[in-house]
Amino acid sequence: MLVLYNAMKNPVTYVQGPPGTGKTQTLFNVVISCYFNQRTTLITTMNNKPVDDIIKKIQFTSKYGDIPFPFLRLGNMDVVKKATLRIREIYETDFYGKPNMEKIEQIKANTRDKNAKLSQMLTNYEKRKSLIQQEEFFQKIRESTTDNNSRLNAAIEELSKEIKEIPLVSDDQIMSLFQPASEDSRYIQYLYFSSLAHLLKLRNPEYSRLKEIVYIDDDNERASEFTKWTRIDENMKLLSDAFPIIFSTNISSHNLGSGDFTFDTVIMDEAGQCNLALSLIPISKAKSLLLVGDEDQLQPVVVLLASTNKKLMEKYKISDHYNYCQASIISAMKNEDKVSKKITLRYHYRCAKNIIGFSNRFFYDDKLIIPPSQENGYLKFFDCKNNARTELSNQALEEATGIVEYLKKYGVEDTVVITPFVNQATLINELLAKEHIKNIKAATIHSVQGNEAKTVLLSAAISPRSAKRTLNWLNSHKEIVNVAISRAKKNFILFGDKESFTRLSTDKDSIWNQLIRYTESQGNIEVIKPLPNMNIGYSNGSINEEEFFKTLSHIASIHNAIKVERNILLKDVFPDDKELQNRKLEFDSIISIKKSMFSGYVRTFAFEFQGGEHIFDESRASCDKEKELICQKHGIQFFAIPNSYAKEYTFFIALLKKYAHEAMSEGEQLSLF
């Protein structure tokens, strides 16, 4: 309620939205309030997911059918193509009924009376809170001095008197005046007919050029012409009159009029991830601004080199508050803006009590309010003795193996696997593919921001061979821990090497050491023993196999007649071979070739990537020989590829040319290579 009140009243409002505190619902309420108050509104952020999450909530149904709420989703060219088709669909829709403006205004007037009472309560609440803060400040000053300052005493007495004159406002009083829109039949009626009033404006003569544009058949031309049209201020006034609510991304909002066109309200979601430069584009179009984000979650991702950034800051004497590589738009503005209202969403609804308890204690100073009815969840720490060596940095095979075994035992439903490092995600996904575990992929932290799952598995991937600078980087990005643990609704499972963290850490109370201790204290501990001292990269599922697959995939990306598949079961390649149906033999990679423009892809080559174990392990060697004989039986060329050829791009081009051309005509050869 305070967010709604301040967003409607103040030129700038800041909202901190910790995880699981209903940020999306709050923003939805603001959007609906802006619409009711006839304010044109732009909702924007750095990427698509946050705005799309809000759009999913804009679904109202009336007795006349679904309400055609007058919003438009804009963005890149693909998004604009869909938006123009939606406008075309509106032109072709025969809506039920006609807007009765007198009735619309009557419903609004009745709602305003109720809102006036609510507004007065919130005004009293804000005023009382401000006076209490002033009184506490003056009392602290008085306590810090031995002088009996009569003027200070008088000021405190006056504040105390003012506070008593302002009535207390309870949650029950606020809620008595609040009714969800979906339960208010008159408001639903207002939404339906006011939406029609906006959309039917599209049929007025001044929108004739827009109508011509949306009926252009060619997608690219239609999107291009629409973008040109929206860059003109007068056209944007027309568009925002028909669609007063517009969703976009920060960078795409530069297409919404020139520098002179403005929206009544601009709402920027995930402002803690929005960099300074791109954020200024939508801000320049705002009469009033609502910034919503959490500085304790993920920070902006920028591509500017730190060394270049430092030189530019020194050259132009830029303060740290405007450090492009470190500051988000919300942190930079809050540092400089000492006047505007700052609100924190405090009621947490997502995670089990002892899971969010870590974030609450270490990031939010125990200010989050967790319902007493919220139950505790399950936490477990797998202490992995990361011994195995891998060819890539930031990988821990013991952790990856432990995660795969956990998923084999408990399943993958409503589960996510998170790690700070791309290489560790790749290793985990290799092992998942090898075990034929589907419907789950390990991902880095940035890919799960804003998501949630019943179970979260977090792999730290720090080993005895990790560089201290890697751990320093990890500890300096504390928000990674906050985002990871706060995705888990019921179960949080941590995989890490406690000894490595202890040995490499200069700070024994670093965020990761504290996370390990917290997880141990709240849950269970299990030790995963080290694997034999071995190098990963010489066996099935290895890093070299990954490079080999990348090489083949690169060839396929250039030559459209080639398709590459990985870890394919022989029974799927030869479905008519009954002898293979109950066997789990698989090829490392399969190449299919499209011999002509009008033919389908035909599986032509099978590859087995051979590490040392294929030479010294008789069962592996026998298995490879069996695969070769099966390929001969079915007319597919089989290749056993040594480790050292993983990245030999030109070798594979030559090999494919030789064997492919033997079975193809000259014309087909030219189309393939």
PDB file of all heavy atoms in Angstrom, residues 339-359:
ATOM      1  N   VAL A 339      16.325  12.873  -0.434  1.00  0.00           N
ATOM      2  CA  VAL A 339      14.983  13.412  -0.185  1.00  0.00           C
ATOM      3  C   VAL A 339      13.888  12.392  -0.469  1.00  0.00           C
ATOM      4  O   VAL A 339      12.942  12.248   0.318  1.00  0.00           O
ATOM      5  CB  VAL A 339      14.747  14.680  -1.042  1.00  0.00           C
ATOM      6  CG1 VAL A 339      13.328  15.197  -0.845  1.00  0.00           C
ATOM      7  CG2 VAL A 339      15.776  15.748  -0.683  1.00  0.00           C
ATOM      8  N   SER A 340      14.004  11.674  -1.579  1.00  0.00           N
ATOM      9  CA  SER A 340      12.906  10.805  -2.037  1.00  0.00           C
ATOM     10  C   SER A 340      12.663   9.636  -1.088  1.00  0.00           C
ATOM     11  O   SER A 340      13.556   9.209  -0.352  1.00  0.00           O
ATOM     12  CB  SER A 340      13.206  10.279  -3.435  1.00  0.00           C
ATOM     13  OG  SER A 340      13.321  11.346  -4.356  1.00  0.00           O
ATOM     14  N   LYS A 341      11.455   9.115  -1.148  1.00  0.00           N
ATOM     15  CA  LYS A 341      11.020   8.040  -0.261  1.00  0.00           C
ATOM     16  C   LYS A 341      11.682   6.729  -0.627  1.00  0.00           C
ATOM     17  O   LYS A 341      11.772   6.362  -1.797  1.00  0.00           O
ATOM     18  CB  LYS A 341       9.498   7.895  -0.349  1.00  0.00           C
ATOM     19  CG  LYS A 341       8.896   7.083   0.771  1.00  0.00           C
ATOM     20  CD  LYS A 341       8.967   7.830   2.086  1.00  0.00           C
ATOM     21  CE  LYS A 341       8.360   7.012   3.227  1.00  0.00           C
ATOM     22  NZ  LYS A 341       8.498   7.715   4.505  1.00  0.00           N
ATOM     23  N   LYS A 342      12.136   6.000   0.408  1.00  0.00           N
ATOM     24  CA  LYS A 342      12.745   4.686   0.228  1.00  0.00           C
ATOM     25  C   LYS A 342      11.941   3.667   1.045  1.00  0.00           C
ATOM     26  O   LYS A 342      11.816   3.789   2.251  1.00  0.00           O
ATOM     27  CB  LYS A 342      14.208   4.706   0.667  1.00  0.00           C
ATOM     28  CG  LYS A 342      15.056   5.713  -0.108  1.00  0.00           C
ATOM     29  CD  LYS A 342      16.451   5.833   0.473  1.00  0.00           C
ATOM     30  CE  LYS A 342      17.304   6.834  -0.322  1.00  0.00           C
ATOM     31  NZ  LYS A 342      16.800   8.216  -0.206  1.00  0.00           N
ATOM     32  N   ILE A 343      11.399   2.672   0.366  1.00  0.00           N
ATOM     33  CA  ILE A 343      10.512   1.694   0.990  1.00  0.00           C
ATOM     34  C   ILE A 343      11.098   0.297   0.810  1.00  0.00           C
ATOM     35  O   ILE A 343      11.621  -0.027  -0.261  1.00  0.00           O
ATOM     36  CB  ILE A 343       9.104   1.745   0.367  1.00  0.00           C
ATOM     37  CG1 ILE A 343       8.521   3.154   0.502  1.00  0.00           C
ATOM     38  CG2 ILE A 343       8.173   0.724   0.994  1.00  0.00           C
ATOM     39  CD1 ILE A 343       7.266   3.366  -0.322  1.00  0.00           C
ATOM     40  N   THR A 344      11.001  -0.524   1.843  1.00  0.00           N
ATOM     41  CA  THR A 344      11.439  -1.918   1.754  1.00  0.00           C
ATOM     42  C   THR A 344      10.234  -2.837   1.907  1.00  0.00           C
ATOM     43  O   THR A 344       9.450  -2.698   2.851  1.00  0.00           O
ATOM     44  CB  THR A 344      12.472  -2.253   2.842  1.00  0.00           C
ATOM     45  OG1 THR A 344      13.617  -1.423   2.671  1.00  0.00           O
ATOM     46  CG2 THR A 344      12.908  -3.713   2.752  1.00  0.00           C
ATOM     47  N   LEU A 345      10.083  -3.775   0.968  1.00  0.00           N
ATOM     48  CA  LEU A 345       9.064  -4.814   1.101  1.00  0.00           C
ATOM     49  C   LEU A 345       9.592  -5.829   2.110  1.00  0.00           C
ATOM     50  O   LEU A 345      10.648  -6.420   1.908  1.00  0.00           O
ATOM     51  CB  LEU A 345       8.801  -5.482  -0.253  1.00  0.00           C
ATOM     52  CG  LEU A 345       8.347  -4.552  -1.380  1.00  0.00           C
ATOM     53  CD1 LEU A 345       8.190  -5.340  -2.678  1.00  0.00           C
ATOM     54  CD2 LEU A 345       7.049  -3.845  -1.036  1.00  0.00           C
ATOM     55  N   ARG A 346       8.871  -6.058   3.191  1.00  0.00           N
ATOM     56  CA  ARG A 346       9.416  -6.818   4.313  1.00  0.00           C
ATOM     57  C   ARG A 346       8.780  -8.189   4.526  1.00  0.00           C
ATOM     58  O   ARG A 346       9.354  -9.046   5.182  1.00  0.00           O
ATOM     59  CB  ARG A 346       9.291  -5.997   5.594  1.00  0.00           C
ATOM     60  CG  ARG A 346      10.095  -4.698   5.561  1.00  0.00           C
ATOM     61  CD  ARG A 346       9.856  -3.873   6.809  1.00  0.00           C
ATOM     62  NE  ARG A 346      10.233  -4.604   8.014  1.00  0.00           N
ATOM     63  CZ  ARG A 346       9.868  -4.273   9.244  1.00  0.00           C
ATOM     64  NH1 ARG A 346       9.078  -3.226   9.424  1.00  0.00           N
ATOM     65  NH2 ARG A 346      10.251  -4.979  10.279  1.00  0.00           N
ATOM     66  N   TYR A 347       7.586  -8.410   4.013  1.00  0.00           N
ATOM     67  CA  TYR A 347       6.894  -9.678   4.278  1.00  0.00           C
ATOM     68  C   TYR A 347       7.366 -10.737   3.274  1.00  0.00           C
ATOM     69  O   TYR A 347       7.150 -10.610   2.071  1.00  0.00           O
ATOM     70  CB  TYR A 347       5.382  -9.493   4.214  1.00  0.00           C
ATOM     71  CG  TYR A 347       4.829  -8.743   5.400  1.00  0.00           C
ATOM     72  CD1 TYR A 347       4.780  -7.345   5.396  1.00  0.00           C
ATOM     73  CD2 TYR A 347       4.391  -9.416   6.538  1.00  0.00           C
ATOM     74  CE1 TYR A 347       4.295  -6.648   6.497  1.00  0.00           C
ATOM     75  CE2 TYR A 347       3.901  -8.721   7.637  1.00  0.00           C
ATOM     76  CZ  TYR A 347       3.853  -7.337   7.609  1.00  0.00           C
ATOM     77  OH  TYR A 347       3.370  -6.647   8.693  1.00  0.00           O
ATOM     78  N   HIS A 348       8.011 -11.785   3.802  1.00  0.00           N
ATOM     79  CA  HIS A 348       8.556 -12.833   2.935  1.00  0.00           C
ATOM     80  C   HIS A 348       7.591 -14.017   2.857  1.00  0.00           C
ATOM     81  O   HIS A 348       7.130 -14.520   3.887  1.00  0.00           O
ATOM     82  CB  HIS A 348       9.913 -13.314   3.463  1.00  0.00           C
ATOM     83  CG  HIS A 348      10.513 -14.401   2.621  1.00  0.00           C
ATOM     84  ND1 HIS A 348      11.294 -14.133   1.516  1.00  0.00           N
ATOM     85  CD2 HIS A 348      10.420 -15.740   2.701  1.00  0.00           C
ATOM     86  CE1 HIS A 348      11.655 -15.276   0.964  1.00  0.00           C
ATOM     87  NE2 HIS A 348      11.136 -16.269   1.660  1.00  0.00           N
ATOM     88  N   TYR A 349       7.311 -14.470   1.613  1.00  0.00           N
ATOM     89  CA  TYR A 349       6.302 -15.510   1.416  1.00  0.00           C
ATOM     90  C   TYR A 349       6.849 -16.788   0.770  1.00  0.00           C
ATOM     91  O   TYR A 349       6.131 -17.773   0.711  1.00  0.00           O
ATOM     92  CB  TYR A 349       5.181 -14.980   0.507  1.00  0.00           C
ATOM     93  CG  TYR A 349       4.568 -13.687   0.972  1.00  0.00           C
ATOM     94  CD1 TYR A 349       4.950 -12.473   0.406  1.00  0.00           C
ATOM     95  CD2 TYR A 349       3.609 -13.660   1.975  1.00  0.00           C
ATOM     96  CE1 TYR A 349       4.381 -11.270   0.832  1.00  0.00           C
ATOM     97  CE2 TYR A 349       3.036 -12.478   2.401  1.00  0.00           C
ATOM     98  CZ  TYR A 349       3.430 -11.280   1.819  1.00  0.00           C
ATOM     99  OH  TYR A 349       2.874 -10.099   2.239  1.00  0.00           O
ATOM    100  N   ARG A 350       8.069 -16.788   0.273  1.00  0.00           N
ATOM    101  CA  ARG A 350       8.522 -17.883  -0.588  1.00  0.00           C
ATOM    102  C   ARG A 350       9.159 -19.048   0.155  1.00  0.00           C
ATOM    103  O   ARG A 350       8.721 -20.197   0.019  1.00  0.00           O
ATOM    104  CB  ARG A 350       9.526 -17.345  -1.620  1.00  0.00           C
ATOM    105  CG  ARG A 350      10.100 -18.443  -2.519  1.00  0.00           C
ATOM    106  CD  ARG A 350      11.290 -17.939  -3.313  1.00  0.00           C
ATOM    107  NE  ARG A 350      10.916 -16.894  -4.231  1.00  0.00           N
ATOM    108  CZ  ARG A 350      11.753 -16.000  -4.753  1.00  0.00           C
ATOM    109  NH1 ARG A 350      13.028 -16.025  -4.404  1.00  0.00           N
ATOM    110  NH2 ARG A 350      11.333 -15.069  -5.584  1.00  0.00           N
ATOM    111  N   CYS A 351      10.223 -18.808   0.898  1.00  0.00           N
ATOM    112  CA  CYS A 351      11.100 -19.873   1.380  1.00  0.00           C
ATOM    113  C   CYS A 351      10.698 -20.389   2.755  1.00  0.00           C
ATOM    114  O   CYS A 351      10.059 -19.693   3.541  1.00  0.00           O
ATOM    115  CB  CYS A 351      12.545 -19.381   1.450  1.00  0.00           C
ATOM    116  SG  CYS A 351      13.185 -18.710  -0.086  1.00  0.00           S
ATOM    117  N   ALA A 352      11.143 -21.609   3.054  1.00  0.00           N
ATOM    118  CA  ALA A 352      11.013 -22.147   4.405  1.00  0.00           C
ATOM    119  C   ALA A 352      11.751 -21.233   5.384  1.00  0.00           C
ATOM    120  O   ALA A 352      12.714 -20.549   5.023  1.00  0.00           O
ATOM    121  CB  ALA A 352      11.578 -23.557   4.459  1.00  0.00           C
ATOM    122  N   LYS A 353      11.288 -21.247   6.631  1.00  0.00           N
ATOM    123  CA  LYS A 353      11.776 -20.299   7.637  1.00  0.00           C
ATOM    124  C   LYS A 353      13.300 -20.373   7.820  1.00  0.00           C
ATOM    125  O   LYS A 353      13.978 -19.351   7.846  1.00  0.00           O
ATOM    126  CB  LYS A 353      11.081 -20.582   8.965  1.00  0.00           C
ATOM    127  CG  LYS A 353      11.331 -19.553  10.050  1.00  0.00           C
ATOM    128  CD  LYS A 353      10.694 -19.960  11.373  1.00  0.00           C
ATOM    129  CE  LYS A 353       9.190 -20.128  11.217  1.00  0.00           C
ATOM    130  NZ  LYS A 353       8.535 -20.461  12.509  1.00  0.00           N
ATOM    131  N   ASN A 354      13.852 -21.583   7.941  1.00  0.00           N
ATOM    132  CA  ASN A 354      15.289 -21.688   8.207  1.00  0.00           C
ATOM    133  C   ASN A 354      16.133 -21.530   6.944  1.00  0.00           C
ATOM    134  O   ASN A 354      17.357 -21.382   7.022  1.00  0.00           O
ATOM    135  CB  ASN A 354      15.626 -23.005   8.907  1.00  0.00           C
ATOM    136  CG  ASN A 354      15.144 -24.223   8.124  1.00  0.00           C
ATOM    137  OD1 ASN A 354      14.308 -24.110   7.220  1.00  0.00           O
ATOM    138  ND2 ASN A 354      15.653 -25.388   8.481  1.00  0.00           N
ATOM    139  N   ILE A 355      15.509 -21.518   5.771  1.00  0.00           N
ATOM    140  CA  ILE A 355      16.255 -21.252   4.531  1.00  0.00           C
ATOM    141  C   ILE A 355      16.412 -19.744   4.329  1.00  0.00           C
ATOM    142  O   ILE A 355      17.521 -19.236   4.161  1.00  0.00           O
ATOM    143  CB  ILE A 355      15.569 -21.922   3.327  1.00  0.00           C
ATOM    144  CG1 ILE A 355      15.706 -23.442   3.432  1.00  0.00           C
ATOM    145  CG2 ILE A 355      16.189 -21.444   2.012  1.00  0.00           C
ATOM    146  CD1 ILE A 355      15.001 -24.212   2.332  1.00  0.00           C
ATOM    147  N   ILE A 356      15.292 -19.017   4.392  1.00  0.00           N
ATOM    148  CA  ILE A 356      15.392 -17.556   4.242  1.00  0.00           C
ATOM    149  C   ILE A 356      16.060 -16.945   5.463  1.00  0.00           C
ATOM    150  O   ILE A 356      16.543 -15.805   5.415  1.00  0.00           O
ATOM    151  CB  ILE A 356      14.000 -16.937   4.003  1.00  0.00           C
ATOM    152  CG1 ILE A 356      14.142 -15.508   3.454  1.00  0.00           C
ATOM    153  CG2 ILE A 356      13.170 -16.947   5.257  1.00  0.00           C
ATOM    154  CD1 ILE A 356      14.899 -15.397   2.148  1.00  0.00           C
ATOM    155  N   GLY A 357      16.126 -17.712   6.540  1.00  0.00           N
ATOM    156  CA  GLY A 357      16.780 -17.205   7.752  1.00  0.00           C
ATOM    157  C   GLY A 357      18.207 -16.768   7.516  1.00  0.00           C
ATOM    158  O   GLY A 357      18.683 -15.801   8.128  1.00  0.00           O
ATOM    159  N   PHE A 358      18.930 -17.453   6.629  1.00  0.00           N
ATOM    160  CA  PHE A 358      20.312 -17.056   6.334  1.00  0.00           C
ATOM    161  C   PHE A 358      20.340 -15.684   5.680  1.00  0.00           C
ATOM    162  O   PHE A 358      21.078 -14.792   6.106  1.00  0.00           O
ATOM    163  CB  PHE A 358      20.982 -18.087   5.431  1.00  0.00           C
ATOM    164  CG  PHE A 358      22.413 -17.737   5.105  1.00  0.00           C
ATOM    165  CD1 PHE A 358      23.432 -18.053   5.983  1.00  0.00           C
ATOM    166  CD2 PHE A 358      22.734 -17.063   3.934  1.00  0.00           C
ATOM    167  CE1 PHE A 358      24.746 -17.715   5.701  1.00  0.00           C
ATOM    168  CE2 PHE A 358      24.038 -16.714   3.640  1.00  0.00           C
ATOM    169  CZ  PHE A 358      25.052 -17.049   4.529  1.00  0.00           C
ATOM    170  N   SER A 359      19.545 -15.502   4.629  1.00  0.00           N
ATOM    171  CA  SER A 359      19.510 -14.206   3.936  1.00  0.00           C
ATOM    172  C   SER A 359      19.036 -13.104   4.868  1.00  0.00           C
ATOM    173  O   SER A 359      19.568 -11.989   4.856  1.00  0.00           O
ATOM    174  CB  SER A 359      18.595 -14.282   2.709  1.00  0.00           C
ATOM    175  OG  SER A 359      19.141 -15.122   1.718  1.00  0.00           O
TER     176      SER A 359
END
